[in-house]
């Protein structure tokens, strides 16, 4: 019972923190290593998130980062590894086409 309550309390805390990011630019890293960013427009009790003007950044060691437009996009909460607020000034000043990096591997819990 305590573990269930702790999980419910922590879920509530996550939900509160994400609520504060509503209508902000966020970056989401999924358990399969994908990186998406867009405007956080919604979330539910299972921490499924809705991103507006969502784009996926596809990383490569050989070529610069490719940005793939996804539009309005829903990401299941159980597939989210991390959500972070994007500093729009820094992000906008970054030439992602010149950044080379190895893609993230799947995350193992």
């Amino acid at each position: 019972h305590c573990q269930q309550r702790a999980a419910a309390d922590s879920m509530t805390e996550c939900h509160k923190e994400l609520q504060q990011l509503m209508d902000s630019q966020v970056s989401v890293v999924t358990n399969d290593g994908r990186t998406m960013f867009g405007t956080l427009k919604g979330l539910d009790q299972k921490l499924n998130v809705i991103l507006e003007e969502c784009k996926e950044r596809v990383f490569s060691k050989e070529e610069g980062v490719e940005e793939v437009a996804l539009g309005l996009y829903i990401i299941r909460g159980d597939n989210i590894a991390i959500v972070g607020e994007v500093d729009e000034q820094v992000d906008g000043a970054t030439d992602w086409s010149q950044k080379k990096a190895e893609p993230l591997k799947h995350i193992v819990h």
Side-chain angles (χ1 to χ4, degrees), residues 57-72:
R57 287 194 173 134
V58 181
F59 291 84
S60 167
K61 282 177 34 176
E62 290 80 31
E63 299 176 23
V65 175
E66 178 186 359
E67 288 189 354
V68 179
L70 302 174
L72 190 64

Side-chain angles (χ1 to χ4, degrees), residues 8-105:
D9 288 346
S10 98
M11 194 70 96
T12 302
E13 193 59 38
C14 289
H15 194 273
K16 286 178 187 174
E17 288 184 33
L18 284 175
Q19 277 291 129
Q20 293 176 0
L21 296 177
M22 200 62 72
D23 293 318
S24 297
Q25 284 285 317
V26 296
S27 178
V28 178
V29 178
T30 62
N31 292 333
D32 60 357
R34 296 172 66 195
T35 302
M36 269 90 64
F37 69 101
T39 304
L40 181 62
K41 295 308 277 186
L43 67 143
D44 64 14
Q45 68 277 10
K46 300 219 182 248
L47 298 179
N48 299 315
V49 300
I50 300 171
L51 298 181
E52 186 177 68
E53 296 181 19
C54 182
K55 294 181 183 176
E56 179 177 3
R57 287 194 173 134
V58 181
F59 291 84
S60 167
K61 282 177 34 176
E62 290 80 31
E63 299 176 23
V65 175
E66 178 186 359
E67 288 189 354
V68 179
L70 302 174
L72 190 64
Y73 202 74
I74 298 173
I75 306 171
R76 288 179 50 124
D78 61 0
N79 191 35
I80 295 174
I82 191 166
V83 176
E85 188 173 17
V86 172
D87 183 327
E88 294 182 57
Q89 196 170 23
V90 172
D91 191 68
T94 303
D95 184 357
W96 289 99
S97 67
Q98 298 302 309
K99 302 294 179 187
K100 296 179 184 178
E102 196 162 321
L104 294 174
K105 297 187 182 341

